[in-house]
Structure formats: structure tokens, C-alpha cells
Amino acid sequence: MLYGKPAKQCSPDEIARETWAQIMKTQSGRLLLPDALHDSDLHSWFLDPGIHWDPAAGVNSNDDPLLVNTAGSWDNRPTGATGIPNLFLAGDYLRTNVDLATMEGANEGGRMAANAVLDAAGSPAPRAALFPHVSLAEFDGARALDRDRWFAGQPNLFDLP
């Protein structure tokens, strides 16, 4: 919006300015919050310390590993409840119906954890809704091809040069 380039090619200051500009744009003219945000409202900003800007190359690098659930790992992942009565888990690494390392998966994991807490407490409160996995048959062929390539040690077709 401001710089016309991806975040990977923005300095940390450019990332902060771009993010704030996008937040401001989405908030302007809202019915419930007209003109609710102003530049003076920005207190400070923080960029993950794993992201490093290389001014000579003009790019960022990210030292933090990205979690990507591997093929066949779903059965080995935990749920929100554990064998320890007062330990609950939440996050996109859980065995959720989303089955992806995404914010949606993390939210589903959070709902699973909340339900596990309510169950452990014996609470009569309504449980958080969990959403069923929807698999479109139109993608079955692509999934089978991807699974076969995975087990053959071949890269995903999207990873090819």
C-alpha cells in the first residue's frame, strides 16, 4: 500500500509503517468506530527478533522455523486434553479438524482446550463449537498424487523449480 513491495523486501521500519497504514485504512469510516484511530494512537511496535534485515541485499530473513504438519502426523498429534488433569494444550499443532498450521487451526485448538477445561471442571456451561472437517471430493485426485509423491520422497508439485 505504501511501498508497493512484499514485506520480505521491507526494512523493519517500513514493515511497521505499512502495517499501521493498513490497519488505519481498514478502520476509517467504520460505522461503529468512525475515525477511531489516529497516528498519535500508535504507541510503539515490535518485530519478531527472528526476522533480520539485510540492508545490502534489501531482504529479510527469518531464523524462526515454520511449523508445517507433515503428511501422516495427524494421528500422532495431541488433543486439547492430556493425561495430566490440570494440563491443557492449544494451538495449530493439535489434532483438529482443520489439520493445517493456520490461525484457523490454532483457534480450533483453543476451542478444544476450552472445552477440555470445562469438562475437567465439570462445568455445565455450553461448549465451544468445533467445526467438522470438510473434504471436497474434487481434490481427492490431487491429494492422492501428493500423498504418493510424499511417500516416494518426491517434492510437492508446488515446490518444483
Side-chain angles (χ1 to χ4, degrees), residues 77-102:
R77 290 188 243 149
T79 61
T82 70
I84 301 171
N86 62 346
L87 176 65
F88 307 94
L89 304 174
D92 65 357
Y93 60 90
L94 294 183
R95 187 184 323 149
T96 70
N97 288 327
V98 176
D99 196 18
L100 289 171
T102 62

Side-chain angles (χ1 to χ4, degrees), residues 3 5 35 49 52 64 106 129 141 146:
Y3 301 102
K5 55 186 178 180
D35 302 318
H52 300 282
D64 295 331
D146 188 51

